[in-house]
Amino acid sequence: MPRMKEADVIILGTGAAGMAAALAAYETGAEVLLVEKFDRVGGTSAISGGVIWVADNPRMRAAGMADSREDALAYFRSLDHGDLVDETIEAFVDSGPEALAFLESIDALKVAVLPGYPDYYLDRPGAKPQGSRALDHDLFALGELGEWAARIYAIEEPKPLMLRETPLGGATTMPPPQVLGERMAARQCGFGQAMVARLLKACLVRGIAPMLGVTTHRLLRDGARITGIEAEQNGAPLTLKARRGVVIATGGFEWDTESRQTFLRGPVTAPASPPTASGGGLKLAMQAGAKLGNMTSAWWAPTLVTPDAPWASGEQRAQIILIERTVPHSIMVNRSAQRFCNEAANYSALGGVFHQFDPANYDYLNLPAYLIFDAQYAARYPLGTRQPGQPIPDWVKRADTLEALAQQIGIDGAVLEETVAHFNVHAEAGEDPDFGRGTSAYDHFYGDRSRSGAAVTLGAIREAPFYAVEIHSGLLGTNGGPRTDGAGRVLGHDGAVIPGLLGAGNAIACPTGGIYAGAGGTLGPALTFGYLAGRAAANANL
Ligand SMILES: Cc1cc2nc3c(=O)[nH]c(=O)nc-3n(C[C@H](O)[C@H](O)[C@H](O)COP(=O)(O)OP(=O)(O)OC[C@H]3O[C@@H](n4cnc5c(N)ncnc54)[C@H](O)[C@@H]3O)c2cc1C
């Protein structure tokens, strides 16, 4: 006989969305089972920056910063290419502040405004150039979790910093090594680690200990209603019955090759997310007859594969690159040795350039792509996990001339020399007439803040040795899946709610329709819809 358990609400997935759902369901009076496929908690959320974007959020209000529903909706609608659904985008804007206030009130989050981090599309109505919609986490001491601390995904790579103390959060200096040492000794962490740890602690103190290693095979149904899951845990069959609802919060599908190739609009050669984004939730939703949305879209990001640092489970690992393509003395070129974009533009919007197709050659115009930089860059700036001043890793190509570098990566040397010479002339004049790099305040955010004006991001590539490393068409997660209503209830093909099935986070069609509003643009909707779905599941009429 399979082992059987029963609760009001079953949540699949222990990322930000799943734990927010578990807490909201519990606080609404439901008995909750929180179920995780892997032997670690937190998925992509745990390795993320943890930044949360919510318009008119409680921290802004407390600091007297102006924002409004109208500004937020005008901003989203100005960026819409037909993906936004009024009900869900309005639910995100209206409920985001409430979801954050709820999670803060139960000590499941502790956040502060990330100073000066601008929205990503500053020319649009309702955008906030001074930031404030993006929130960062205070430090969390892992000792508070007891043995569960070791169960957080990739916790072996501790981040004893708050994002706002690093160049990623706009700081120009980092805390001194002594402070970092003290924090390491106290097992304090920031970033997504702090977010997941605090959410997990809030779950544990309520008696919601995640069930790990549970693979769901199918949803159980009673007529139209979803009533639980049929699964296995460590090889033993397991049936979990849900009296009120099942919430799918399993993250994206980017590590499921078949789903990725079937749905995404262009090639993805190296996701930055961990292999936990395995697409199980999408398959469950399809089994249930869900209407799908946003399936071609993702949170795109140029990435850098770090061959010397794979995931602990052995898969290829890639880092999102932000500073590398924004600081001076670097450009990106395509297979034709030509620049193809404003390298400093926001990562998600840049995804599109990797999917540009060349009808003449029946191939992708900008793949493979390379980051080209020089000795000035190598002396001052980071590359992936390598810090300034550390040796450039062996897997980065290097040569004394651009011609020789081009030969190593198989692109045309004469064209590369021409591309660099053209870029240099304009960079020294502080302009980029080809792609406008440096014209938006966003382009400066990850640049070299010790310089001023356009020199924050523009600088000639002149000093040998020259370096080249492949840049991949990557992503932070997919954002398509079952469509929901404004309460996170999954819709069927006919547009009617599938009773007992809910969803949140990267596992659903994102309420922002794939618009990455600003830093935190995925975790804001994930936490908000986690909160809404958890509450709706707990309140479900039977
Ligand atoms: C390097 C990096 C930095 C990022 N930084 C930010 C940032 O600062 N701000 C921001 O907004 N976004 C950021 N993102 C994106 C963000 O992390 C994700 O969009 C977000 O974490 C998704 O949350 P989620 O809860 O939907 O999924 P996840 O956090 O991936 O959680 C899903 C969980 O479900 C589990 N699971 C999978 N399948 C099943 C199954 N069948 N049954 C049960 N459990 C299952 C997974 O193991 C995982 O634990 C970043 C991403 C990366 C890669």
Side-chain angles (χ1 to χ4, degrees):
M1 272 292 282
R3 201 155 59 94
M4 219 267 284
K5 281 190 168 210
E6 193 165 341
D8 293 323
V9 178
I10 293 172
I11 318 270
L12 303 181
T14 59
M19 288 200 279
L23 291 163
Y26 178 92
E27 291 294 325
T28 311
E31 190 191 345
V32 174
L33 283 177
L34 178 59
V35 174
E36 169 58 50
K37 176 176 173 183
F38 292 86
D39 61 355
R40 296 288 186 103
V41 172
T44 309
S45 303
I47 65 134
S48 76
V51 180
I52 300 167
W53 190 100
V54 169
D56 200 15
N57 64 62
R59 295 280 134 216
M60 295 175 76
R61 289 179 191 167
M65 293 163 158
D67 199 357
S68 66
R69 173 184 205 269
E70 289 68 33
D71 276 358
L73 287 175
Y75 181 56
F76 280 114
R77 289 192 169 125
S78 77
L79 295 162
D80 184 20
H81 289 289
D83 302 322
L84 288 183
V85 174
D86 284 345
E87 184 179 348
T88 47
I89 188 63
E90 287 175 16
F92 168 51
V93 168
D94 289 336
S95 303
E98 178 186 314
L100 285 189
F102 162 75
L103 291 167
E104 283 203 284
S105 74
I106 59 165
D107 288 331
L109 284 183
K110 198 162 178 215
V111 287
V113 164
L114 188 54
Y117 203 133
D119 284 343
Y120 286 173
Y121 304 96
L122 293 174
D123 60 333
R124 299 307 170 110
K128 299 287 169 207
Q130 308 308 332
S132 67
R133 289 168 166 170
L135 302 166
D136 180 33
H137 300 271
D138 287 1
L139 294 172
F140 180 89
L142 289 172
E144 292 182 39
L145 287 176
E147 290 178 358
W148 277 96
R151 289 289 179 190
I152 293 179
Y153 198 86
I155 199 69
E156 302 74 13
E157 300 164 21
K159 294 184 178 137
L161 293 147
M162 293 178 279
L163 193 101
R164 56 188 181 271
E165 296 175 318
T166 74
L168 288 176
T172 46
T173 55
M174 300 260 280
Q178 187 204 336
V179 170
L180 297 184
E182 284 163 11
R183 289 183 187 171
M184 292 285 276
R187 298 180 69 211
Q188 288 179 320
C189 59
F191 286 64
Q193 290 181 339
M195 172 180 68
V196 163
R198 211 168 250 118
L199 284 164
L200 177 58
K201 185 179 171 207
C203 287
L204 294 173
V205 297
R206 286 166 179 76
I208 310 169
M211 297 176 69
L212 303 179
V214 177
T215 302
T216 303
H217 296 306
R218 65 181 189 94
L219 294 168
L220 298 173
R221 312 187 75 129
D222 181 3
R225 170 170 286 278
I226 303 299
T227 55
I229 61 168
E230 198 175 270
E232 65 177 65
Q233 188 175 28
N234 306 323
L238 174 69
T239 299
L240 298 181
K241 291 206 170 157
R243 289 186 284 266
R244 291 179 179 270
V246 175
V247 180
I248 295 177
T250 49
F253 60 77
E254 61 270 20
W255 279 85
D256 179 47
T257 310
E258 190 184 17
S259 299
R260 184 163 107 185
Q261 282 170 353
T262 304
F263 294 116
L264 293 182
R265 70 167 185 216
V268 170
T269 49
S273 55
T276 52
S278 46
L282 174 62
K283 288 179 182 158
L284 295 175
M286 289 194 295
Q287 277 172 23
K291 174 179 182 171
L292 303 181
N294 274 9
M295 293 306 293
T296 56
S297 156
W299 310 119
W300 311 111
T303 56
L304 172 73
V305 170
T306 48
D308 47 358
W311 289 109
S313 43
E315 293 87 348
Q316 164 188 280
R317 185 167 182 178
Q319 313 276 336
I320 176 175
I321 57 157
L322 298 163
I323 292 171
E324 293 85 341
R325 53 187 170 76
T326 306
V327 289
H329 315 300
S330 79
I331 54 171
M332 291 201 294
V333 299
N334 60 15
R335 60 198 302 156
S336 311
Q338 289 169 332
R339 287 180 70 215
F340 54 93
C341 62
N342 166 7
E343 294 88 348
N346 91 66
Y347 41 91
S348 201
L350 265 184
V353 296
F354 294 107
H355 299 155
Q356 233 174 310
F357 201 69
D358 176 5
N361 291 312
Y362 203 73
D363 213 340
Y364 289 94
L365 203 55
N366 301 320
L367 288 174
Y370 301 92
L371 184 78
I372 306 288
F373 57 95
D374 73 357
Q376 302 174 81
Y377 175 110
R380 289 176 210 166
Y381 305 126
L383 181 72
T385 51
R386 170 242 176 222
Q387 293 307 309
Q390 291 180 334
I392 297 284
D394 292 347
W395 40 266
V396 176
K397 307 281 185 216
R398 123 186 18 209
D400 285 334
T401 64
L402 287 167
E403 167 80 49
L405 188 70
Q407 243 178 37
Q408 288 190 41
I409 53 176
I411 62 173
D412 189 310
V415 179
L416 182 63
E417 280 180 342
E418 218 176 280
T419 299
V420 169
H422 177 80
F423 173 76
N424 286 353
V425 169
H426 294 293
E428 277 165 355
E431 59 187 25
D432 175 21
D434 301 316
F435 298 104
R437 175 166 162 184
T439 50
S440 159
Y442 177 82
D443 298 355
H444 292 229
F445 194 76
Y446 290 118
D448 181 344
R449 307 271 197 102
S450 69
R451 300 159 60 129
S452 58
V456 166
T457 179
L458 295 173
I461 299 171
R462 262 196 209 298
E463 290 184 17
F466 300 101
Y467 300 88
V469 66
E470 186 171 350
I471 298 304
H472 287 264
S473 165
L475 46 71
L476 303 182
T478 54
N479 54 37
R483 284 218 180 271
T484 68
D485 68 2
R489 298 182 300 177
V490 171
L491 305 177
H493 291 300
D494 56 359
V497 165
I498 299 176
L501 190 63
L502 305 98
N506 285 354
I508 61 165
C510 183
T512 68
I515 297 167
Y516 212 122
T522 90
L523 284 166
L527 288 165
T528 303
F529 267 63
Y531 164 75
L532 290 171
R535 223 176 39 165
N539 280 329
N541 293 325
L542 298 176

